[in-house]
Amino acid sequence: MSTSMVVLATRPPEWTREQFTLWWRGEHADHALKLPGLQAYRHGEVMFDYDHPDAPAWDGHAVLTFPSRDALDAALKSPQWAAAVAHVGKMKGNRICLVTEEVDLFLQKADRSAGEAAT
């Protein structure tokens, strides 16, 4: 089972959403992609917030996936992580950072359906 770090973030108050997205997908991604053990790195720009339709509470999210919690923990102790954190600096945005164990429910359901069809 893979382990992911999920980050929700807001841009610094003086940045536009476009600036923040370009920075995140560009120069910041260049740092994050160097993390040892990283298997996948996805970023999403918030297009609409159902809970806050007039002013989204978040500007984007990232999901960094590792083969295990041990691999994530090792990445968080690496010089590459230190460089990525230094790159963020004191941006003045907000974030929530969570560690999750992921299960692909779509594939799990497809596997169950295929097994039921075979019997």
Side-chain angles (χ1 to χ4, degrees), residues 17-112:
R17 188 173 73 178
E18 292 77 18
Q19 284 175 300
F20 188 52
T21 299
L22 286 172
W23 173 86
W24 200 339
R25 292 180 178 177
E27 61 183 85
H28 187 61
D30 292 342
H31 289 277
L33 288 167
K34 294 175 184 173
L35 291 173
L38 184 67
Q39 290 183 315
Y41 181 36
R42 295 175 303 283
H43 175 264
E45 178 183 0
V46 173
M47 304 306 294
F48 185 77
D49 182 340
Y50 285 99
D51 293 327
H52 307 96
D54 295 327
W58 303 100
D59 293 300
H61 83 281
V63 180
L64 294 89
T65 304
F66 295 84
S68 66
R69 176 66 191 265
D70 288 342
L72 169 61
D73 290 343
L76 296 178
K77 294 176 185 167
S78 72
Q80 294 89 338
W81 175 257
V85 170
H87 181 253
V88 171
K90 297 180 189 217
M91 287 187 71
K92 298 178 259 166
N94 294 313
R95 76 169 193 180
I96 293 175
C97 188
L98 308 166
V99 174
T100 67
E101 286 189 359
E102 293 187 359
V103 174
D104 189 327
L105 299 175
F106 185 81
L107 289 177
Q108 189 178 51
K109 174 93 172 141
D111 289 345
R112 252 187 277 150

